[in-house]
Amino acid sequence: MSSNLLLLSGVAVIGGIAVALQAQLMALLDRGMGTLESVFITYGGGGLLIGLTMLFLRGGNLSIWHTIPWYAYLSGAAGLIIVASIGFSVPRLGLVTAFTLLIAAQFIVGALLDHFGLLGAEVRELDLRKIAGMLIMLLGVWLTVRN
C-alpha cells in the first residue's frame, strides 16, 4: 500500500471516529435541549472554530468564491440536514442502527453520483461487482437494523 493511500485512509478513519463521537455528543444535546438547539450548537461551534482559523490564515482562498459552481454552496444546507438527521436519529435509534442506515444511503447515492458523474464527480461506472457489493450491503443493513 502506498504511503499516500495510507495517509488518506488514516484521515478517513479519523473522520469516521469524529463522526461517531459527534453523533453521540449531539444525541446528548438533542435529549437535553432538542434537535434544533443541538444543530445550532454543533454548527455554531464548528463555524466559530473555522471562522477563527480562516481569520488566522487571512481568509485563505475565499477571494475565488465566484469561480465555484453555484450549486456547490448548497453544501452548507446539506450539512445542516446531515447534522440534524444524526442528532435526531441517534438518540431514538441508537448509534449502530442510525449509522448503518446513514452509511448505506451514502454508499448508494455515492455510487449513483460516481456512475453518472453528477455534481462534478469523476465518472466511475457501476459494474456487476459493485452492484453485488451494494446488494450484500443492503442484506447487512437489514440484518443489523431488524429487531
Side-chain angles (χ1 to χ4, degrees):
M1 183 183 286
S2 75
S3 63
N4 192 32
L5 181 58
L6 189 61
L7 174 66
L8 293 173
S9 299
V11 169
V13 168
I14 290 168
I17 291 168
V19 168
L21 294 173
Q22 178 195 43
Q24 186 57 41
L25 296 172
M26 286 186 66
L28 291 171
L29 292 170
D30 186 277
R31 279 189 216 115
M33 292 185 280
T35 303
L36 292 177
E37 296 79 2
S38 171
V39 171
F40 176 76
I41 288 171
T42 302
Y43 251 68
L48 180 63
L49 285 174
I50 198 61
L52 291 172
T53 303
M54 295 285 301
L55 214 79
F56 178 74
L57 297 174
R58 302 186 193 278
N61 289 327
L62 286 178
S63 62
I64 61 168
W65 70 270
H66 60 283
T67 64
I68 307 298
W70 67 269
Y71 52 84
Y73 296 103
L74 296 174
S75 64
L80 287 173
I81 293 168
I82 293 165
V83 169
S85 67
I86 290 171
F88 184 80
S89 62
V90 167
R92 291 159 180 84
L93 296 173
L95 274 170
V96 173
T97 300
F99 273 98
T100 299
L101 294 168
L102 287 161
I103 291 168
Q106 288 175 39
F107 283 142
I108 292 169
V109 171
L112 292 173
L113 290 172
D114 279 354
H115 179 74
F116 294 109
L118 299 172
L119 302 175
E122 185 177 323
V123 175
R124 292 182 177 97
E125 293 184 13
L126 282 173
D127 57 15
L128 192 56
R129 185 179 49 114
K130 288 180 185 176
I131 293 170
M134 284 192 284
L135 291 172
I136 292 169
M137 179 190 63
L138 289 174
L139 174 64
V141 168
W142 178 73
L143 290 170
T144 303
V145 237
R146 70 188 187 114
N147 289 327

